[in-house]
Amino acid sequence: MNSSALNRPAESLDVDHEWDNPYLLLTPGPLSTSPTVRTAMLRDWCTWDEDYNFGIVTPIREKLAALAAPSEPEAYTCTLMQGSGTFSAESMIGSAVPADGKLLVLANGAYGNRLAQIASSLKIDHLVHDSGELAPPDVPRLDQTLRDDSAITHVICVHNETTTGMMNPLAEIASVVKGHRKTFLVDSMSAFGGVPLDLATLGIDFLVSSANKCIQGVPGFGFILSTREAIGKTEGNARSLSLDLFAQWKMLEEGGGKWRFTSPTHTVRAFHQALLELEEEGGIAVRHARYSENHRVLVEGMTTLGFRCLLTPELQSPIITAFHNPENPDFSFLRFYQDLKERGFVIYPGKVTGINAFRIGTIGHVFPADFDRLISAIKASMFWR
Ligand SMILES: *Cc1c(COP(=O)(O)O)cnc(C)c1O
């Protein structure tokens, strides 16, 4: 956009041309959003009256609680929090675990490790069970540890470990944690909204996700779903002023949708639109079916070209898929990436220690036909053979 365009009012801009996306984001967030979600950001909102608080923020909180706990939505509540997903994870951990609490972290990738890092930074007493990046959490070991160490009050795990695309066995973990009557926290950042789930039947006390993943909004805030009972007990626990989950929840509840500090109004408006589009699509189960079909088309095409998946199908989620680098000793991810970007697709580097792999996300406003086109683009590229 040149500087004269910047001086013109928005109405006179050539909208279609300026805002056409040159490529699809096949990444785990930010991801490709619909044109209608992006267009929802094109007006300014004041934050102190009913239009925003009552018309946008409160419905978002209610819709998210209903999506999270369809069997018992009234027992759950939703707190929106400024920042990227990690800010919300930090808010959740720092507020849920009291000063005399102890947290057990189940880690099998970079995001599980980040949860442990948050506990370290906040000086929370904690223990890490690291099962390695290629194995799911060790459930019998979890059971034994909860039997042996009665100081543990809280357990946290990642739902879909975005490092590899591994879907962790949430129901099995939940059943052990609940059997020991511990508080259960989940980082479902990259799965919530794309994978059917009922917090009430699983017995999840707190779950965190963010705007720019499977709900298909744009970045700027995260949200914490919790039972009203569990969040009601967290007053005074927070290790931070701005990330105080209880204080944020109380303000949203008592202020009828009011945030404590400046809220990302445009992002929130886009998210509201994204939730309407999730409903129009048919809800989480239908979205999950689309993501699964995206994933199936991707894997079938990549396999035909000779690529190998990092994970076995039983462990693999439909969210993001890691592929081993091709055998070619001259393979450069960067050149391959750049070529695909010019062809209209942005893929994602690998993140597993000691293994040369790359990742392709299948979430967002992307469809099976897009993955057919991606496979044709890879077939046409010379940068991996
Ligand atoms: C995306 C993601 C996060 C949050 O990352 P941010 O960059 O802070 O938004 C946390 N956990 C998982 C599993 C994720 O996929």
Side-chain angles (χ1 to χ4, degrees), residues 28-30 83-89 110-112 114-115 158-163 187-191 208 210 212-213 219 221 319 348:
S84 85
T86 305
F87 291 61
S88 283
Y111 293 97
R114 188 181 293 173
L115 299 173
V158 175
H159 186 186
N160 173 69
E161 182 42 89
T162 319
T163 308
D187 170 352
S188 185
M189 210 69 72
S190 61
V208 62
S210 76
N212 60 279
K213 304 245 174 163
F221 71 98
I319 307 289
Y348 214 49

